[in-house]
Every structure is written in structure tokens, then in C-alpha cells.
Amino acid sequence: MTHDARPVTQRRRWRALVAGVALSALAVFPAAARVFDPETFTLKNGMQVVVVNNPRAPVVSHMVWYKVGSADEEPGKSGLAHYLEHLMFKGTAKMKPSEFSRTVARNGGRDNAFTAYDYTAYFENIARDRLELVMGMEADRMVNLRLTDDIVLPERKVIQEERRQRTENEPASRLYEQLYSLLFVHHPYGTPIIGWMHEIEKLTTQDALDFYKRHYAPNNAILVVAGDITAAELKPLAEKTYGKIKPSKDIPARVRVTEPPTEGARRITLTDDQVRQPNWMRIWKAPSYSAGEKQYASALEVLESILADGATSRLYKSLVVEQKIAAGVNLSYNPNALDLGTLSISATPAPGQDVAAVEKALDAELAKLLSGGVTDAEVASAKVRLRRDAVFARDSLQGPAYAFGVALTTGQTVADVEAWPDRIAAVTREQVEQAAKLVLGQDNHVTGILLPAATPAPVQAAAPAAPPAAPAAPAKGGTK
């Protein structure tokens, strides 16, 4: 049971998985590449079903995705989507608390769940002959969850402890959280998925029940099953389990506030005595597959590969190999969002270097990109890397189910997933350059610097009369 705190990580996983057969597919069907070749149908109650057949072993990955995430929470109720995800394991009239996972394990399977801004998902990886069992259990908790204060309130303390461990005791997570709240000043993507502590501690049993009844229904969910199963074999099981559930007439529309235009660069420097290695990060808002100038999403994926995919990429070659300023550099583009996506760059100074030198070198590389563009050879090479990186994705049991779940809960379609190789193949050098200017040419980004507590800030270090470094202090953060 987790919350996906960093959507860029999700996106990297999705890209690799979705593009999994792109190389082989393009080689055979260059004009109409197909990725996972899924089968789809919809139950009478509105539940969409996607099946990806992979008969290599008698196992399946069974996933139920709900079109609700933390960005769908009401103001003041942050963390509620993730809280309910935990509570979904607390039993129904048929299942005692925690019996769900024990039953899956007893039958040789593995289960878990996760929450993100735009979706919540539950999965079981299990032998094919136990699929009907987990489908019945998952259908049961879709509508028959039983919650009382005796169950709900102790779990709230678990959530609070999870926040302490994963965010409040992790300087990098705190910096990331602050950067997002500074990047999205109005949109709910600026609120952490796990929630703010002062709002988590006020969540009630009734809050969880209201959220559950409002959003958990077959016509707000997607069933994706990948593995040794066909649609013809799955459909009778789906009708026998999920098909018996009545649809909800009151699923709310996913209407969110619009992020207003922001001006000017913003910075946060966070120091903490737990930090051993300084780090620099910058994040821009960017188009996604579903929002903004989405015609540039595929070009941004190619740009990501040109700048930071491997040891021969532009940023790594310049900062790490040639200038030896950075020990590592990373760029991540997240196009899988219902609303705007993000593009972020992060780097770690090499021994003896500081974050100011890293920032100066990165600014120079980005200026070079914006003024000089990219070459046709770089674009062609990036396309090959995108396809090469994903050549084994179809071998994954859970990968295809994850790819379709993310896509279908963030405004995309099955056809969009299948057309991914064609979109990447059609990207031109001019489109990559236009996409770079659209995102990296903007100065409304946020920059974060993470420093050991005993290390003075870069500006202070450069001043001739800088005072001695302060002794280690308790963790703190500040906005400049």
C-alpha cells in the first residue's frame, strides 16, 4: 500500500513498459505498429475490461483501477484517497480485516495497491486457476466495505507514521513536496498525495465512507487482466463477479480548478543534517498526453532521450564526462497526467564541486539547446533508444496491465496506447526544437537545492567575508 509520490518515476516505468514491443513491432508493421494487441469489452454496468494475453506461464496479473486519485479530493481533505486505499484491506461482511491479503498469500499470490494524483489501483498476481477467487474478493470490496471507528482510526495513525518516515524524515522528499506546491500554486497537483499532516489527523470514518460511496463503483473502474487468459475466457468470470454490481448514478465529473499562469523563477533551498550529498533540481510544467499543448508530448519524450538517456546523452556527456562537474544528471518528463505534466532536471555535484557550478553548467547546456537546436542524427538515435529500451516489455506480466491502467484513468484510450510507436516514429527535429522552447524556454520554473546543514548556501560560500559555517542544526527548509 503506497502512494506514488513522484509521478516522473511512474512515467519512466510506463514508457519502458508501453513501448515494450515497439522495436519488434515497428520492424514488422512500420505503418501501423501495435504494442500489446489487447482485447476489450464493457460489462452492462459500465465497467471497462482490457485483456492482454501472454500464455508463457499459467499466471495472471489482475488489476482494478479507479478513476479517482488525490487530485480529486475536496479541499481540506488531503490524503483521503490514499487513506481509503489502506482501509480497503479492512474487511467486508465476508472478509475479516487483513483476511484479503492472507487469502491471496495462502493461494500463492501477491497483492498490493497504490494511489497517485489521478488514480487508485489494486492488484493481485496469482495463478490462473485462482483468478476467479480474487475477482470475487475484489468485486466484494468494491461495494461491501465495512468501516467503523475501531478499524479506521488506528489506521490513521499508520498513515501518519508513513508520512513521518517517507516525507518528514526524508529531506529529498520534503524538498520535492515543497517544489510541487510552489510549481502548482492552485491546481491540486500542488498538494502531496499522502496529504498534509494537519489534514490527515482530522480525517474521519465518515470522510472515508463518503469518498468510497462517491467514487467506488463498476462504472468508475477499469479491470485489466494480463497473462494466461483470453477475453473469451475472462468475460464469463467478469460477468459472474463484477457484472452483478449495480452501476452508480452519482459518479462526480472530474472537474478540477485550472492552474493560472505563473511568472518568474522561484527557488527553495533546504538544509538538513541528514543530507550527505548536495543535490540540485528544477521542474517545469509541461504538456501531457491529455492537457496543454499535447501535440508536443511525443516530441518531449524524444527530447528527454536526447538530453539524458544513457552515457552518450547530451547532459551526461557534458556535465559528467567532459566537464566533470556532476556525478550524475537526470531528466524526467511525465506525460501521464489527466491535467498538465511536468519535466524535471536534477543533478548531483561531483566531489569538490558545488551546486552553483552544476547550475551554471546546466543553464549553459539548455541555452545551447534553445539557440542551436538538435540534429537529425540525435532525433533518429533517440527514437532507436526509445524502442530499444522497451524491447522486452511484453515479457512483463504486470507491465501491460499497468500501462493500460495509467492510460485509461488519465484520459487516453486503448488505441492511444497501441499507437505509441507510430507517434514516436513521426516526431521530427523541428517538433523537438519547438517542444524544447515551449517548456525549457519558459522562466516560470521552480528550482530546489538540497544541502548538508553544515554547508553554507552557494551565494554565501562565494562571498569573500562569508561567516564560518553554522554548526549542524535541526532540519529546516525555507523559501527564497
Side-chain angles (χ1 to χ4, degrees):
M1 293 176 280
T2 62
H3 64 282
D4 280 346
R6 302 190 180 199
V8 288
T9 303
Q10 299 167 10
R11 184 264 160 192
R12 278 184 172 276
R13 182 182 179 192
W14 182 88
R15 185 194 76 183
L17 296 169
V18 166
V21 292
L23 183 60
S24 57
L26 281 175
V28 181
F29 306 108
R34 305 171 76 177
V35 183
F36 295 117
D37 199 16
E39 300 174 277
T40 64
F41 59 90
T42 302
L43 299 177
K44 292 181 180 178
N45 57 19
M47 187 173 190
Q48 185 177 5
V49 183
V50 180
V51 185
V52 180
N53 179 246
N54 181 352
R56 295 184 180 185
V59 294
V60 294
S61 181
H62 169 268
M63 303 189 81
V64 173
W65 295 71
Y66 291 94
K67 298 178 184 177
V68 62
S70 68
D72 299 297
E73 296 162 345
E74 296 177 19
K77 302 290 184 182
S78 66
L80 185 53
H82 174 245
Y83 189 20
L84 178 59
E85 175 218 307
H86 276 238
L87 296 174
M88 286 290 285
F89 293 83
K90 297 304 179 182
T92 66
K94 297 180 180 177
M95 306 286 289
K96 296 178 181 178
S98 302
E99 187 180 348
F100 190 103
S101 293
R102 286 199 296 267
T103 301
V104 173
R106 194 162 54 243
N107 284 275
R110 183 173 67 89
D111 73 311
N112 211 326
F114 48 88
T115 306
Y117 289 122
D118 297 318
Y119 51 79
T120 308
Y122 303 82
F123 71 87
E124 298 83 32
N125 295 336
I126 200 161
R128 173 198 157 113
D129 62 1
R130 309 302 167 92
L131 176 59
E132 183 174 353
L133 170 67
V134 297
M135 290 178 73
M137 292 164 55
E138 199 68 77
D140 177 40
R141 70 176 175 178
M142 179 180 287
V143 288
N144 295 318
L145 187 65
R146 285 193 171 183
L147 299 179
T148 63
D149 284 352
D150 291 345
I151 294 173
V152 171
L153 299 184
E155 193 65 22
R156 191 173 65 190
K157 295 185 181 298
V158 173
I159 302 291
Q160 290 174 284
E161 185 58 27
E162 180 180 340
R163 180 179 164 84
R164 291 188 189 96
Q165 292 185 4
R166 296 191 175 188
T167 302
E168 296 178 4
N169 292 332
E170 291 289 340
S173 296
R174 296 207 312 279
L175 176 62
Y176 181 85
E177 185 175 271
Q178 292 297 315
L179 286 173
Y180 254 67
S181 66
L182 202 57
L183 182 69
F184 290 101
V185 298
H186 189 49
H187 191 276
Y189 288 168
T191 299
I193 294 167
I194 196 170
W196 300 114
M197 183 65 90
H198 70 282
E199 293 184 348
I200 294 173
E201 64 189 14
K202 294 179 182 177
L203 295 176
T204 67
T205 302
Q206 194 60 49
D207 289 333
L209 285 170
D210 290 345
F211 195 82
Y212 174 67
K213 292 176 181 176
R214 191 180 307 130
H215 296 287
Y216 280 53
N219 49 327
N220 200 40
I222 299 159
L223 170 64
V224 189
V225 182
D228 187 20
I229 189 84
T230 66
E233 294 166 331
L234 181 70
K235 191 171 184 179
L237 300 180
E239 291 173 337
K240 183 178 179 181
T241 52
Y242 299 104
K244 293 182 177 178
I245 303 173
K246 294 181 180 179
S248 171
K249 298 179 181 178
D250 302 314
I251 300 297
R254 305 185 84 180
V255 179
R256 298 168 178 171
V257 296
T258 300
E259 178 71 4
T262 52
E263 296 183 45
R266 289 149 287 165
R267 298 174 70 88
I268 295 175
T269 298
L270 188 149
T271 60
D272 193 297
D273 56 8
Q274 296 184 69
V275 176
R276 296 293 178 267
Q277 182 67 54
N279 190 262
W280 180 94
M281 175 183 289
R282 180 167 293 167
I283 310 176
W284 292 258
K285 282 177 280 196
S288 70
Y289 289 139
S290 304
E293 298 194 54
K294 50 191 177 185
Q295 70 272 25
Y296 291 112
S298 297
L300 287 168
E301 292 188 89
V302 174
L303 177 66
E304 176 188 27
S305 182
I306 291 173
L307 292 181
D309 190 355
T312 59
S313 62
R314 277 198 181 196
L315 296 182
Y316 188 91
K317 186 177 179 181
S318 175
L319 273 71
V320 178
V321 178
E322 297 175 353
Q323 300 185 59
K324 303 186 188 310
I325 288 177
V329 60
N330 180 63
L331 184 150
S332 293
Y333 167 52
N334 170 34
N336 291 297
L338 186 61
D339 298 309
L340 286 176
T342 57
L343 187 151
S344 64
I345 299 177
S346 61
T348 301
Q353 300 289 344
D354 60 29
V355 292
V358 169
E359 182 172 2
K360 183 178 179 181
L362 277 166
D363 283 342
E365 283 298 322
L366 296 182
K368 180 180 175 183
L369 168 71
L370 295 175
S371 62
V374 297
T375 66
D376 289 328
E378 286 180 311
V379 173
S381 179
K383 292 180 183 179
V384 171
R385 282 197 298 272
L386 285 171
R387 291 173 290 185
R388 181 200 60 196
D389 290 348
V391 71
F392 297 116
R394 189 147 184 153
D395 290 340
S396 167
L397 175 64
Q398 196 169 26
Y402 187 89
F404 282 108
V406 170
L408 298 179
T409 52
T410 57
Q412 301 173 69
T413 66
V414 170
D416 290 335
V417 176
E418 291 294 281
W420 185 87
D422 294 334
R423 294 201 304 274
I424 292 297
V427 171
T428 66
R429 175 177 58 79
E430 291 78 11
Q431 290 172 333
V432 173
E433 293 173 348
Q434 292 168 2
K437 291 178 180 177
L438 176 71
V439 178
L440 300 175
Q442 303 300 312
D443 66 356
N444 58 349
H445 48 66
V446 296
T447 301
I449 298 172
L450 188 64
L451 297 171
T455 301
V459 173
Q460 294 173 325
K476 60 180 181 181
T479 302
K480 288 185 175 179

